[in-house]
Amino acid sequence: MVTAMFTGSNTNSPRNGTISEDVREASRLYNEATEEFKGVAGVINAGYGRLVDLAVVAMEEGHHIGPGLHTCSQYIAWKGGVSKATANRIARLARRVEELPTCIGALRAGEISLDQADVIAQI
């Protein structure tokens, strides 16, 4: 089918090898969806950057310790509504915020994901 779309074997396209209007439209829709996906992911990543900042404040002010709460990760999971694994990533980044300003800045800007930032924080 893909070959047919580009070689003109499709009844909707000329036989001279040009790209059909159907292919152009499919490509346009794909590009729009990809751009929207990237935009939403950027917002989510920036949100994780903000959670890192809030975790820093919680650790500095001791908000993360209380009845049934023994670690910052537990606090983040509870208040942030995220999984234990995600909370651990956020806490790890919060503990290293001063050491990793470029990495955390990229996360805050939505340029990298939490998983990508965590790989750096584990080094």
Side-chain angles (χ1 to χ4, degrees):
M1 177 66 181
V2 172
T3 304
M5 290 189 296
F6 290 100
T7 61
S9 299
N10 183 325
T11 58
N12 294 328
S13 66
R15 296 214 172 251
N16 64 5
T18 61
I19 299 174
S20 73
E21 286 304 312
D22 290 343
V23 173
R24 288 182 202 281
E25 179 63 11
S27 179
R28 185 188 66 76
L29 291 172
Y30 171 81
N31 289 334
E32 285 179 8
T34 298
E35 287 303 309
E36 185 174 4
F37 197 89
K38 284 177 14 183
V40 171
V43 170
I44 292 167
N45 295 335
Y48 281 127
R50 183 65 184 137
L51 287 177
V52 169
D53 292 337
L54 292 172
V56 169
V57 171
M59 286 190 280
E60 287 174 350
E61 297 182 1
H63 298 184
H64 65 289
I65 303 297
L69 297 173
H70 306 287
T71 68
C72 188
S73 293
Q74 289 174 328
Y75 178 80
I76 294 166
W78 174 46
K79 287 296 186 182
V82 297
S83 71
K84 181 179 176 182
T86 298
N88 287 336
R89 289 181 184 101
I90 292 168
R92 185 173 13 259
L93 286 162
R95 285 190 295 273
R96 300 209 44 210
V97 73
E98 295 296 324
E99 299 172 60
L100 303 169
T102 304
C103 173
I104 303 297
L107 181 61
R108 288 177 185 133
E111 297 168 351
I112 64 173
S113 70
L114 179 64
D115 290 341
Q116 290 168 324
D118 186 51
V119 168
I120 295 167
Q122 291 181 45
I123 297 173

